[in-house]
Amino acid sequence: MPNMKLIWKLAIPQICIVLCFGLISFAVINASFTNMREQYVKDVIESRFSFIMKEIEASAQQSVSETSVFVRLPVVIEAYELALSGNIDDPYSPESQAARDMLRAELAPMLDSYKEYMGKDLQLHFHLPNGYSLVRIWREFNTRIDGVWVDVSDDLRGYRPTVIDTNRTGQATTGLEPGSGGFAIRGVIPIIGPDGKQLGSAESLQDFNPILDAVTEEGKIYITLYANIELLEFSVELQDAEKYPPKGDFVRVVEAQDSSIEALITADFLTRGKEDIVYEDFGSMTLATFPLRDYKDNQVGVIVCAMDTTAVSTLTNAASLILALMLAAMAVVPIFALLLQQRRLVTRPLNTIKAKIQDIAEDRADLTEQVPSHQNDEIGELSRWFNTLTGKLDGILQEREAMLSKISDESEKFAAMAHWYESILDSIPFLVSVQDPEMNWTFVNAALEDVLGKKREDVIGLPCNSWGVSICDTDYCAISCAKRGQGKTFFTHENLSYQVDVEKLKDLHGQTVGFIEVIQDITKMEELAKQQAEARSASEAKSTFLATMSHEIRTPLNAIVGMTSIGTAAQDPERMKYCFTRIEDASKHLLGVINDILDMSKIEAGKFDLSLADFNFESMLRRVVGVMNFRLNEKNQAFDLFIDKTIPNNLFGDDMRLAQVITNLLSNAVKFTPEHGTIKLATRLIEEVDGVCLIRFTVTDTGIGISQDQQDRLFQSFQQADSNTTRKFGGTGLGLSISKSIVEMMDGEIWVDSELGKGSAFSFSVRVKRGKDKEEGLLPDNYRDSDNSLGNSLDVVGAQATKTDGILSNHRILLAEDVEINRDILLTLLEPTGLVIDCAVNGKEALRMFSESPDVYEMIFMDIRMPEMDGYEATRRIRALDTPNAQTVPIIAMTASIFREDIEKCLANGMNGHIGKPLDLNEVIQQLRHHLLKK
């Protein structure tokens, strides 16, 4: 069209002018940005060099500071005086060896406090005044104390100037120095004796390479280090000439990160960087050299910094281009104004036709109204054809309107009937759906809409199996059942149970045209039936448990009452001893039953908590096995113990509850294993993450075994394997349930592997933290990582705990107890120890007796519930006395209040420990040994 030709004739010259203007602007702007880029590169490189020099100075001062902490220790002076008393020219003289052992033993454990220093690797190096190395001590991060490495082979006289200067001048020497392994930053300090005489020197160092790494940025900044050959005659890098070939007077000691950069570095370029920073531009790469000087200001090398300027160049070029384009865009505006004027000659008539078409589409146009057609070009011809088309369309629409009027009347009748049926089906509380013969949905009611989570218009026409329930595409599908003449089926969906009633839909001729389903949710009915069954089962379990508890409590009570009567009437000492032994056994059994019931009650009340503290792992196992040893020997059973050597000796957790679980499993193993059987206890460290250890315990026996049905209910409350177990072996049925609760509170799990008649393996895992104490293992080394029968050897361990004859003679303690029989029991039990025991009948009297003789009593056993003044008040008043012994005398609670909150309350009121009643003689002796014999 002529209009478009005119537009192009005007636009092309303008476009050429804009392009020329943009190119000129780009050249001027780019030149300015190039100067800015060069200055930016220099600033970045010089900041890196400045950082290196500051880090050298800071590292040297830090080395001196850290070394000063150790050389001030008296053990250093003592060790040096010992070493200098011998032949110092012999590094392996007895005096040097003894001094070296002394320094290693005293200083190596202290390195843990400085493990973050020097990249988690602190090194101490002690030198004799003649330049020989006395001892070099360092420790890698997280190693054991016995992993300390010691080196005494160095003769530093020939090549360690810092050591030579410090030994000669008696002044600290700090700074950069080349050595046998490359460059290092050293801090050497003189060691001065009490008389002012210099005994030698000590140093710590930091590798220079991490400082270079700190200024390196992958993809941007690369650092390479060259050293003067004559100053590095001992450097190990010079031994590999092929890997680091010399370049003139220099040799590379730190490898470049990019081989292409190494090709740009020449000997001449290195020589030019001796005095100052020298730059050289290689296009996309800028190199700079910087002189490296040692602590005496001697130049020992050159640092080469290579900076990739590709990204900076790209950025400046992009900025130049953007500014140029912005200037060019300002010149384009006149062209757009001209083009807009020319386009309006074409778009105005086209917009008129467009508006008419839009009115027709939205059914609001007057088809008899025509658009203007004054032009004689293509636009005018298009307008005339459009007017002809609208005239014909008007006649067609009039005929269509008459036909739709008739259809509308019929549709209203059918719509009213459909709405009536739809309302009826929507009011039904059940799920209702209708399918055609091809099993596609034709209707779903409101209830089914809620279940599907979709509107009926979104599912109509979809296959009914798009619901995705379990019976779809199976023989139990409701429609498949209807075709077989079966009118009912069942299925589950999203943990709900449904019943489906289905019927065929037939037309007037009896032909099947679809299916209707009525779906009913029967979940609540099934749950009610299940709950009724569970209630009956729980009631039966409770009844069985109550009967068992009655039997378990009455049986030892009957034994206690009966044997007390027999023992009272007996005249024969052996007969009386027999009765007392049976009374003791029955009492312990009754105490165990009561403890299980109390623990289970606290678990169900949500008050069962853990008491966390540091404990020794092997000591806890020794206590458990020591308790079980008597029962093992009684049944002539072999016992094997395996301890994983990787398990830390010291852990942080509730050792009492952990021991309770192990004891429960071992007790069951002993109970259900016949005589001469074998029982094993194995421990394994599964993993350790951030100081938290996952430990697995496994108790294996050769007993009667457990069937699969019995295993399914084994860890439930009030349950045992079967009723015959209770009658034959006894027990409350609570032990495994309590153990399961304890294990789960320790973030673990418990399980069993067993086969009837072939023994059982009970396993559980718990997570506990590493402890802080450094107590060594208490069992012999051969009991770690090996199976050992401890049936005989642990007799000695148990005997040591109860052997009391004369062990505490000449020690005097105070007992505060208001019940006379309790005082008599403790006095009788401790009579063989040789202790001198004074008694107070209440807290008030105990306070008076201690106040009158505060230096006499070395320990106090304090009951809690006493008349006039209880144990808590008495303890607080004793601690408040103005005597030194009042703050330090051990006060141990001796009470029947044994819950965790009772123990915590005792400790909060100033007591040092807690012993529960009935008294365990081993526990009493252990407390006495701990507080009296350690002095």
Side-chain angles (χ1 to χ4, degrees), residues 723-847:
S723 58
N724 292 329
T725 300
T726 304
R727 291 193 293 269
K728 183 175 181 180
F729 296 99
T732 63
L734 296 177
L736 290 178
S737 176
I738 295 172
S739 297
K740 181 174 183 291
S741 297
I742 294 174
V743 168
E744 289 176 347
M745 292 178 69
M746 294 183 179
D747 195 17
E749 59 179 340
I750 187 170
W751 66 94
V752 61
D753 295 310
S754 181
E755 185 176 348
L756 196 62
K758 295 185 178 180
S760 304
F762 281 83
S763 302
F764 71 93
S765 62
V766 295
R767 295 184 187 275
V768 291
K769 296 181 180 179
R770 275 184 175 267
K772 297 180 181 179
D773 296 335
K774 301 299 181 182
E775 187 176 351
E776 296 296 329
L778 299 176
L779 291 176
D781 290 340
N782 63 320
Y783 290 131
R784 277 185 168 259
D785 281 359
S786 62
D787 291 337
N788 296 278
S789 178
L790 301 183
N792 295 326
S793 63
L794 285 177
D795 285 343
V796 178
V797 177
Q800 290 175 348
T802 57
K803 184 177 180 182
T804 62
D805 293 347
I807 61 173
L808 301 171
S809 297
N810 301 323
H811 291 280
R812 193 181 195 93
I813 69 172
L814 176 60
L815 169 63
E817 171 63 66
D818 62 313
V819 181
E820 182 179 2
I821 190 172
N822 289 341
R823 296 197 299 270
D824 292 342
I825 290 173
L826 186 64
L827 292 173
T828 303
L829 290 175
L830 296 181
E831 184 177 358
T833 65
L835 272 173
V836 178
I837 304 176
D838 295 337
C839 296
V841 298
N842 54 50
K844 185 176 181 180
E845 185 175 347
L847 174 62

Side-chain angles (χ1 to χ4, degrees), residues 481-494:
C481 293
K483 291 178 179 179
R484 297 194 303 267
Q486 179 182 342
K488 191 185 299 292
T489 187
F490 302 88
F491 71 94
T492 58
H493 179 65
E494 295 183 354

Side-chain angles (χ1 to χ4, degrees), residues 349-511:
L350 291 179
N351 286 336
T352 303
I353 296 174
K354 172 187 173 184
K356 189 69 174 180
I357 294 173
Q358 186 173 358
D359 290 342
I360 294 172
E362 296 177 359
D363 198 19
R364 64 187 181 190
D366 182 2
L367 297 179
T368 61
E369 182 182 354
Q370 296 185 340
V371 300
S373 56
H374 305 300
Q375 297 176 233
N376 293 323
D377 53 14
E378 291 87 346
I379 299 298
E381 187 177 355
L382 176 62
S383 299
R384 289 189 289 274
W385 278 108
F386 179 76
N387 290 332
T388 301
L389 178 63
T390 55
K392 291 183 179 180
L393 182 60
D394 181 54
I396 295 173
L397 291 179
Q398 289 179 5
E399 294 177 1
R400 174 180 172 274
E401 186 175 353
M403 184 182 296
L404 289 177
S405 179
K406 293 181 181 180
I407 295 174
S408 177
D409 294 339
E410 295 297 326
S411 297
E412 287 181 2
K413 295 179 183 179
F414 286 110
M417 184 178 296
H419 178 70
W420 184 68
Y421 284 119
E422 184 178 294
S423 299
I424 294 175
L425 293 177
D426 282 342
S427 65
I428 297 175
F430 305 131
L431 313 181
V432 179
S433 69
V434 180
Q435 292 91 33
D436 61 20
E438 285 73 32
M439 301 173 64
N440 296 318
W441 270 318
T442 60
F443 174 81
V444 295
N445 73 338
L448 185 52
E449 280 184 325
D450 294 339
V451 174
L452 294 174
K454 298 179 180 179
K455 296 294 184 181
R456 64 168 59 97
E457 54 266 22
D458 296 331
V459 300
I460 298 301
L462 296 178
C464 63
N465 63 4
S466 62
W467 189 357
V469 296
S470 58
I471 65 171
C472 289
D473 302 322
T474 70
D475 291 339
Y476 296 98
C477 169
I479 296 178
S480 299
C481 293
K483 291 178 179 179
R484 297 194 303 267
Q486 179 182 342
K488 191 185 299 292
T489 187
F490 302 88
F491 71 94
T492 58
H493 179 65
E494 295 183 354
N495 298 323
L496 299 177
S497 299
Y498 295 92
Q499 173 184 310
V500 186
D501 295 282
V502 61
E503 291 290 344
K504 295 179 181 179
L505 293 178
K506 297 184 178 181
D507 60 12
L508 297 176
H509 304 288
Q511 298 297 318

Side-chain angles (χ1 to χ4, degrees), residues 616-632 639 641 655-667 670 681 697 699 764 779 790 794 797:
N616 183 275
F617 181 70
E618 291 183 1
S619 177
M620 180 272 294
L621 289 180
R622 182 179 66 171
R623 293 198 309 269
V624 171
V625 178
V627 170
M628 297 303 303
N629 195 48
F630 173 77
R631 298 180 61 187
L632 289 164
F639 178 69
L641 173 63
D655 60 324
M656 299 300 293
R657 293 302 183 186
L658 184 58
Q660 182 178 350
V661 177
I662 301 172
T663 302
N664 182 276
L665 297 183
L666 288 175
S667 298
V670 173
L681 169 60
F697 300 80
V699 175
F764 71 93
L779 291 176
L790 301 183
L794 285 177
V797 177

